[in-house]
């Protein structure tokens, strides 16, 4: 028996009554109302959810009052073959959703997946198999059997003396099976139908024999689309509009009266699977205060729409969690933007705006970053951007921009979804710095950027033009200046490194007067460019000044172009 925690509050009409939280015994759990048990089950995950259902005295009612998707995800997580009891308890309407989600990949029927489900159905007992067959979509059943059997002779054999003599009328039809494995499973299924309902069996076999496969499959597919749409799974192509960004100004100007969301399943509890990873921000605070069932359905259907648009596996909890994080991020950004620091205002927006519109607003705010990043990417300086700056631009230029984690911690190089308005503001600051770098190297320094496909830098480190960064060019030019040469990124001979080291460094540290001179000169060329100067000089500190004058190995000094001869 799993640990069962009694919820700290109890719903009674429109009131919420508080009570002491404690752990329940099995008898106390079953003494609760079905609504309270449902709430406990909905808040559980994985094996605990399964055990709570099995321990309940009214487990069948619990299963059939849970959304089809909740049961489907539980079956996928634990393995349907190990949860036969749940299949026995599920209604045929729920089974149809399981089949609709797993029998097809886009427009393609998956015979092997269908065969696995049929085998699991057979484990639930003949009575359940017969009931399910009678209540299933007849066209889908026809398509399934057409994938595994070919009927070679049918009812006409009743007047065939040869067939009578050979004893081939035991099942009224002669048929060939696709293979020996499917013969066992499909043969057992047909045997149950034949023994318990001869008329249904004959009708099904005639359908399998006479229906044109392509046509009946299209009918079954159309029926499937309708059922899935009722459960919040739109056609993948139609679902793509969920990623159409909404302009913030347009969102603010529009006025709409939100129509309460109607669930496609009736008589069942609102879903909670979308709370696979509770948000820890403004949206998380709103969700933690409790949301109405209609909003639960709306949130679940929004996540399903995103999954369909991305053609993600709706039975994979890891993919659901990933898409939920993305959805939560866009919603949270939109609510922070609209609330402007006022929690109650954000709550009002959450309650009165369509969640899809909030998602598209949050996405729109993020997508504005991509437009700026694309301008940088098309510039000649893009190929020479230093690693962190180039990585940021690449992240922002994705189909949906990603947050480059190096903006928060210099030693990190990962990406994640945008989650907060502060993420956008931080990215805007970094973009501004990069845009200034592009302007700085657009002739203001007195030299042109090299051709990325230019000649090899013979005898130099680095030896490829394409390996250079803006910081290399900038510091090499300043190295030449401090050595009394022209301000240009010409390779510095290794024999001059001790002289440059003495001019730039003192006691293992960059000379403050050198930093001040370079920063002021750079800032005078372009306001704001001093930050890039600081970035470059920090590289000098780490990769040049930190070395002793007797340890200046040109092969391992970064941030400059050094000639080895």
């Amino acid at each position: 028996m799993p640990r069962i925690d009694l919820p700290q509050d109890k719903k009674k009409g429109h009131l919420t009554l508080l009570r002491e939280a404690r752990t329940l015994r099995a008898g106390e759990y079953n003494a609760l109302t079905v609504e309270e048990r449902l709430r406990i089950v909905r808040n559980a995950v994985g094996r605990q959810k399964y055990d709570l259902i099995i321990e309940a005295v009214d487990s069948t009612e619990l299963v059939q009052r849970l959304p089809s998707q909740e049961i489907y995800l539980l079956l996928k997580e634990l393995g349907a073959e190990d949860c036969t009891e749940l299949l026995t308890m599920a209604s045929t309407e729920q089974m149809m959703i399981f089949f609709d989600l797993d029998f097809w990949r886009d427009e393609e029927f998956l015979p092997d997946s269908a065969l696995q489900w049929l085998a699991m159905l057979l484990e639930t007992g003949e009575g359940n198999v017969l009931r399910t067959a009678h209540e299933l979509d007849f066209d889908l059943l026809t398509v399934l059997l057409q994938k595994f059997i070919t009927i070679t002779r049918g009812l006409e054999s009743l007047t065939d003396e040869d067939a009578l003599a050979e004893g081939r009328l035991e099942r009224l039809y002669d048929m060939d099976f696709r293979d020996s494995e499917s013969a066992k499973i499909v043969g057992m299924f047909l045997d149950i139908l034949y023994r318990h309902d001869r008329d249904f069996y004959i009708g099904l076999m005639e359908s399998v024999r006479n229906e044109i496969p392509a046509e009946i499959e299209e009918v079954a597919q159309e029926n499937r689309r309708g059922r899935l749409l009722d459960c919040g799974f739109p056609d993948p192509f139609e679902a793509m509009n969920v990623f159409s960004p909404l302009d913030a100004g347009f969102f603010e100007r529009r006025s709409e009266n939100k129509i309460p969301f109607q669930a496609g399943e009736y008589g069942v509890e609102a879903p909670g699977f979308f709370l696979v990873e509770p948000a820890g921000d403004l949206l998380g605070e709103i969700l933690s205060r409790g949301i109405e069932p209609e909003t639960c359905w709306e949130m679940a259907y929004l996540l399903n729409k995103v999954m369909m648009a991305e053609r993600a596996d709706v039975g994979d909890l890891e993919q659901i969690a990933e898409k939920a994080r993305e959805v939560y991020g866009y919603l949270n950004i939109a609510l922070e933007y609209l609330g402007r620091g006022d929690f109650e205002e954000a709550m009002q927006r959450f309650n009165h705006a369509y969640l899809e519109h909030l998602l598209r607003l949050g996405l729109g705010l993020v997508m504005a970053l991509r437009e700026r990043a694309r301008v940088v990417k098309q510039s000649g300086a893009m190929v020479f951007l230093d690693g962190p700056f180039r990585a940021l631009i690449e992240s922002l230029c994705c189909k949906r921009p990603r947050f480059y984690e190096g903006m928060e911690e210099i030693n990190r190089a990962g990406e994640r979804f945008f989650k907060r308005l502060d993420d956008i503001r931080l990215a805007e600051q970094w973009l501004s710095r990069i845009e200034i770098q592009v302007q700085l190297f657009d002739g203001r320094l007195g030299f042109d950027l090299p051709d990325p496909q230019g000649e090899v830098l013979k005898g130099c480190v680095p030896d490829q033009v394409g390996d250079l960064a803006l910081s290399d060019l900038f510091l090499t030019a300043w190295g030449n200046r401090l050595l009394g040469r022209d301000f240009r990124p010409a390779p510095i001979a290794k024999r001059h490194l001790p002289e440059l080291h003495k001019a730039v460094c003192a006691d293992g540290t960059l000379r403050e007067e050198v930093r001040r001179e370079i920063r002021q000169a750079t800032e005078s060329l372009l306001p704001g460019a001093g930050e890039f100067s600081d970035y470059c000089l920090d590289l000098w500190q780490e990769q040049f000044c930190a070395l002793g004058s007797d340890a200046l190995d040109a092969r391992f000094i970064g941030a400059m172009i050094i000639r080895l001869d």
Side-chain angles (χ1 to χ4, degrees):
M1 178 68 187
R3 174 189 172 95
I4 305 173
D5 293 322
L6 182 69
Q8 289 183 294
D9 55 82
K10 175 181 179 180
K11 298 290 183 181
K12 190 172 183 63
H14 295 294
L15 299 177
T16 299
L17 307 179
L18 299 180
R19 60 189 173 190
E20 182 180 357
R22 61 186 179 86
T23 301
L24 299 177
R25 295 187 296 274
E28 293 176 308
Y29 168 63
N30 280 310
L32 298 173
T33 65
V34 67
E35 286 75 18
E36 289 187 295
R37 281 198 299 281
L38 273 169
R39 183 180 177 193
I40 293 173
V41 169
R42 285 178 66 245
N43 290 336
V45 296
R47 177 59 62 177
Q48 184 186 37
K49 182 190 288 281
Y50 173 80
D51 290 341
L52 286 169
I53 291 173
I54 298 302
E55 290 290 339
V57 292
D58 50 359
S59 53
T60 297
E61 181 180 357
L62 289 183
V63 168
Q64 296 189 6
R65 285 189 60 178
L66 288 170
S68 301
Q69 196 171 356
E70 294 267 358
I71 300 300
Y72 172 75
L73 290 173
L74 183 58
L75 290 169
K76 297 295 286 187
E77 181 180 6
L78 301 182
E81 64 278 3
D82 295 327
C83 302
T84 306
E85 301 95 331
L86 292 182
L87 292 179
T88 305
M89 300 174 200
S91 67
T92 305
E93 290 77 11
Q94 289 174 318
M95 293 286 287
M96 277 303 312
I97 297 302
F98 305 162
F99 296 166
D100 286 336
L101 292 173
D102 257 20
F103 280 19
W104 309 80
R105 181 185 295 114
D106 294 334
E107 304 296 315
E108 178 188 3
F109 188 84
L110 305 176
D112 291 340
S113 179
L115 189 66
Q116 291 174 5
W117 279 97
L118 184 60
M120 290 184 286
L121 177 62
L122 290 171
E123 294 292 326
T124 66
E126 290 192 4
N128 193 59
V129 171
L130 189 64
R131 174 184 64 83
T132 303
H134 282 152
E135 297 175 356
L136 275 180
D137 182 336
F138 192 80
D139 297 321
L140 177 62
L141 205 50
T142 299
V143 170
L144 189 158
L145 292 177
Q146 283 183 338
K147 301 296 181 182
F148 296 103
I149 63 174
T150 301
I151 298 176
T152 57
R153 185 176 297 196
L155 295 178
E156 68 276 6
S157 300
L158 293 174
T159 59
D160 188 329
E161 293 183 0
D162 292 335
L164 288 168
E166 295 171 9
R168 288 190 280 105
L169 296 183
E170 183 181 358
R171 292 294 178 263
L172 303 179
Y173 293 86
D174 288 348
M175 64 190 76
D176 294 328
F177 289 89
R178 187 186 73 171
D179 51 50
S180 59
E181 180 63 25
S182 62
K184 292 187 294 185
I185 297 171
V186 176
M188 187 182 302
F189 175 71
L190 292 176
D191 181 67
I192 293 172
L193 299 184
Y194 177 82
R195 287 188 288 104
H196 291 281
D197 193 333
R198 189 79 51 89
D199 290 339
F200 182 80
Y201 169 80
I202 292 173
L204 179 59
M205 298 301 283
E206 286 300 305
S207 178
V208 171
R209 186 182 192 189
N210 297 313
E211 292 289 353
I212 299 172
E215 293 182 359
I216 194 66
E217 192 166 320
E218 177 56 35
V219 173
Q221 178 72 287
E222 190 60 35
N223 294 340
R224 169 184 179 258
R225 291 191 195 101
R227 289 190 297 268
L228 288 181
L229 186 60
D230 287 341
C231 288
F233 296 96
D235 177 88
F237 181 78
E238 296 175 357
M240 289 301 296
N241 62 18
V242 74
F243 291 124
S244 299
L246 273 182
D247 175 76
F250 176 76
F251 185 94
E252 291 283 27
R253 290 192 300 271
R254 68 185 300 161
S255 59
E256 56 186 3
N257 294 318
K258 181 177 178 179
I259 301 173
F261 197 84
Q262 297 295 321
E265 294 182 85
Y266 300 99
V268 301
E269 298 299 305
F273 73 90
F274 55 86
L275 293 173
V276 288
E277 183 173 318
D281 41 35
L282 176 60
L283 175 64
E285 176 64 22
I286 291 174
L287 295 178
S288 69
R289 298 196 177 193
I291 55 178
E292 295 299 321
E294 294 84 359
T295 306
C296 288
W297 285 107
E298 186 182 5
M299 182 77 83
Y301 284 14
L302 175 61
L303 180 55
N304 288 340
K305 192 171 186 178
V306 168
M307 296 284 288
M308 295 302 285
E310 293 284 87
R311 285 179 162 78
D313 183 352
V314 297
D316 187 323
L317 287 174
E318 288 187 6
Q319 292 189 45
I320 291 175
E322 179 185 14
K323 296 306 172 187
R325 285 191 290 270
E326 183 176 13
V327 169
Y328 289 163
Y330 294 140
L331 291 176
N332 186 69
I333 288 169
L335 292 170
E336 287 185 350
Y337 173 81
L338 296 170
R340 294 175 173 82
D342 186 331
F343 178 82
E344 294 303 324
E345 175 65 19
M347 177 77 84
Q348 286 293 316
R349 297 289 192 147
F350 179 80
N351 290 331
H352 293 97
Y354 287 105
L355 297 184
E356 181 175 335
H357 292 169
L358 289 173
L359 181 149
R360 291 170 59 193
L361 169 61
L363 176 61
L365 294 170
V366 172
M367 293 293 280
L369 298 171
R370 189 177 72 169
E371 299 309 308
R372 290 177 62 182
R374 282 181 167 178
V375 174
V376 173
K377 191 168 184 177
Q378 292 168 2
S379 71
M382 174 62 190
V383 69
F384 296 111
L385 288 180
D386 285 76
F389 305 117
R390 186 168 61 251
L392 171 62
I393 296 299
E394 294 291 357
S395 297
L396 294 180
C397 285
C398 292
K399 181 172 67 172
R400 290 193 298 281
R402 305 270 292 185
F403 181 90
Y404 173 61
E405 294 179 329
M407 293 187 291
E408 292 179 314
E409 296 182 37
I410 193 64
N411 293 324
R412 297 187 65 176
E415 297 177 351
R416 61 168 171 80
F417 297 113
F418 279 82
K419 299 188 296 185
R420 300 177 294 271
L421 206 55
D422 282 346
D423 290 346
I424 295 179
R425 291 170 179 151
L426 182 58
E428 288 174 338
Q429 293 172 6
W430 274 62
L431 268 173
S432 295
R433 295 168 187 161
I434 297 172
E435 289 165 343
I436 287 175
Q437 292 178 35
V438 172
Q439 295 178 51
L440 183 64
F441 282 84
D442 191 16
R444 294 174 188 260
L445 290 171
F447 57 82
D448 295 327
L449 290 171
D451 180 357
Q453 306 301 323
E455 295 183 4
V456 173
L457 296 170
K458 295 181 180 180
C460 295
V461 179
D463 60 359
Q464 300 290 330
V465 175
D467 292 336
L468 294 175
L470 295 183
S471 59
D472 298 327
L473 301 173
F474 182 82
L475 290 174
T476 301
W478 270 104
N480 280 304
R481 169 69 63 82
L482 293 171
L483 289 170
R485 300 185 178 91
D486 292 338
F487 186 82
R488 59 190 185 90
I492 298 173
K494 69 174 182 179
R495 66 178 181 275
H496 295 304
L497 290 177
E499 180 185 355
L500 179 61
H501 190 272
K502 183 177 181 180
V504 171
C505 314
D507 299 324
T509 304
L510 182 70
R511 293 181 183 275
E512 186 58 37
E513 62 270 22
V514 171
R515 178 182 291 275
R516 188 184 313 111
E517 176 189 355
I518 294 176
R519 194 183 202 287
Q520 289 176 350
T522 308
E523 187 73 20
S524 68
L525 286 174
L526 181 64
E531 286 194 27
F532 175 68
S533 169
D534 291 337
Y535 168 81
C536 294
L537 293 172
D538 287 342
L539 294 178
W540 243 358
Q541 170 62 49
E542 296 171 9
Q543 302 179 29
F544 190 44
C545 293
L547 301 174
S549 58
D550 56 347
L552 298 176
D553 190 329
R555 296 170 300 172
F556 307 114
I557 295 176
M560 284 186 291
I561 311 171
I562 301 174
R563 193 171 68 246
L564 299 177
D565 56 12

